[in-house]
Each structure stands twice: as C-alpha cells, then as structure tokens.
Amino acid sequence: MDILLALSRFVDRINEVIGKSVSWLILASVLISAGNAVIRKTFDISSNAWLEVQWYLYGTVFLLAAAYTLQKNEHVRIDFISNMLTKRTRDWVDLICHIVFLLPFTFLITYLAVPWVLKSMNSGEISANAGGLILWPAKIMVLIGFTLLTLQGFSEIIKRWAVIIGRIDDPMETHINPPSVEEMLAGMPREQGK
C-alpha cells in the first residue's frame, strides 16, 4: 500500500503543477479575445486564426486542469444527495463511481484519441476556416488531458481505498467542509492596538 500511496502522491503533484500552470492561459485567451475585438471594431478586420487560438487556449485549460479539479474534489456532484449520506457511504460511492464510471470512460477516450491524433499529425490536418490553424495541437490536448484524468482517477481510487481501510486520513476533509469566513476570522489573532 505504501508504494501505491507514493504513486498517488506523485500523480497528485504532477496534476497540481499542470493545473496551476495552465490557469494562466485563461488570461492569455482573454487578452487575445479583447485585442481581437478591438482590432475588429477599430479597423474592421478579423482573423480566424486568432479566434481559433482563443478556443485552443481555453480547451487546453479545460482539458489539462480537469485532473487537478478532480484531485481537489471540485468536480460536479450532487451535494444535496451527497450531504445526506454518511462519510463512509460517500467514500464507498466515490470509490465505486471512479472504478465503474470514470476509469472506463477515460480509458475509452484515451484509446480512441491515439489514432485520431496520429492521423491528424500525419496528414497535417488544418482547420476548414479560411486562415485557420493546424488541428493536431488541439487534438493532442485531448489525449494528454484524458491521460492525466485517467492517472488522477487511479490516484483517487488509491486514496479512497486507503481512507476506507483506515491507512490515511481523508485528504478531502478540508475541501468538503471548509471553515466559514466567520470561523476563519474568529481564529485569527487581533491586530495590535485595537
């Protein structure tokens, strides 16, 4: 189990670094979008390439940060139902859902993405839009993103099982019930002179 937990920590660290790093691409996408809008309105010219760069950047963030989102337990879930369950039941539901739903889906997409990306790279596939960009960089992000999500799925299964058998404390406890603003302020030391 120690080897699996070490592997889980390694995967978590990789996805944390990637997830935090790609968040800056949102700023780049916004700046490109704003610049493109200003040029289009001011000079009445536009470029499909700049429009495509925007969705390349946004898609990259979405795909490469998905594993980090899963790691931080920020993915979509039905909290209303989840909060009615006991902690142990939630752990089992997470474990089973990761095994039955997440991994088969991410395996399938990863498996199907390999020939799709290779075909695009080998053919030099270009966007059908006038002045469009090559497509394989965007397509390779699908492959990388789902590979990272698969690895994170394994990491979450390892951690959830370790929590269930009592090997580790739940790393999600601080994320599930974070302290309220009032609780955080109550725990803070008062400033001097007040």
Side-chain angles (χ1 to χ4, degrees):
M1 190 62 167
D2 290 335
I3 293 171
L4 291 175
L5 287 169
L7 177 64
S8 174
R9 285 190 298 273
F10 178 71
V11 169
D12 287 354
R13 184 69 186 134
I14 288 171
N15 282 323
E16 182 175 4
V17 168
I18 291 171
K20 288 180 177 180
S21 298
V22 299
S23 65
W24 287 99
L25 294 179
I26 293 291
L27 176 61
S29 182
V30 168
L31 292 174
I32 290 169
S33 177
N36 198 24
V38 168
I39 290 170
R40 187 174 61 247
K41 296 295 182 186
T42 306
F43 302 108
D44 197 29
I45 57 174
S46 185
S47 165
N48 284 332
W50 285 110
L51 294 171
E52 289 182 9
V53 165
Q54 291 172 52
W55 69 260
Y56 274 31
L57 292 174
Y58 180 75
T60 297
V61 171
F62 181 82
L63 289 163
L64 298 188
Y68 180 61
T69 303
L70 178 64
Q71 177 192 352
K72 294 302 179 186
N73 199 33
E74 296 294 330
H75 56 286
V76 176
R77 70 169 63 233
I78 304 171
D79 289 333
F80 174 72
I81 295 172
S82 179
N83 289 338
M84 291 190 308
L85 304 174
T86 67
K87 164 85 173 77
R88 185 154 180 86
T89 303
R90 279 195 311 265
D91 290 339
W92 276 102
V93 167
D94 283 348
L95 178 68
I96 292 167
C97 287
H98 283 99
I99 293 169
V100 174
F101 297 110
L102 177 67
L103 285 185
F105 176 72
T106 59
F107 271 132
L108 179 64
I109 298 298
T110 304
Y111 173 76
L112 294 174
V114 172
W116 182 63
V117 169
L118 291 175
K119 181 179 176 185
S120 182
M121 290 174 70
N122 291 334
S123 69
E125 185 179 11
I126 298 176
S127 169
N129 297 320
L133 302 175
I134 56 173
L135 291 177
W136 69 263
K139 289 184 174 185
I140 204 165
M141 290 302 127
V142 173
L143 178 59
I144 294 169
F146 275 92
T147 300
L148 292 173
L149 191 55
T150 301
L151 292 173
Q152 191 62 46
F154 278 117
S155 176
E156 295 305 311
I157 289 168
I158 293 166
K159 289 184 289 190
R160 198 57 35 216
W161 180 249
V163 167
I164 289 171
I165 65 171
R167 274 304 290 276
I168 63 172
D169 291 331
D170 191 350
M172 288 296 117
E173 277 300 307
T174 57
H175 297 291
I176 293 171
N177 295 313
S180 68
V181 173
E182 293 83 10
E183 290 170 330
M184 288 190 293
L185 291 174
M188 297 176 75
R190 299 190 131 199
E191 291 183 41
Q192 296 295 329
K194 293 201 176 186

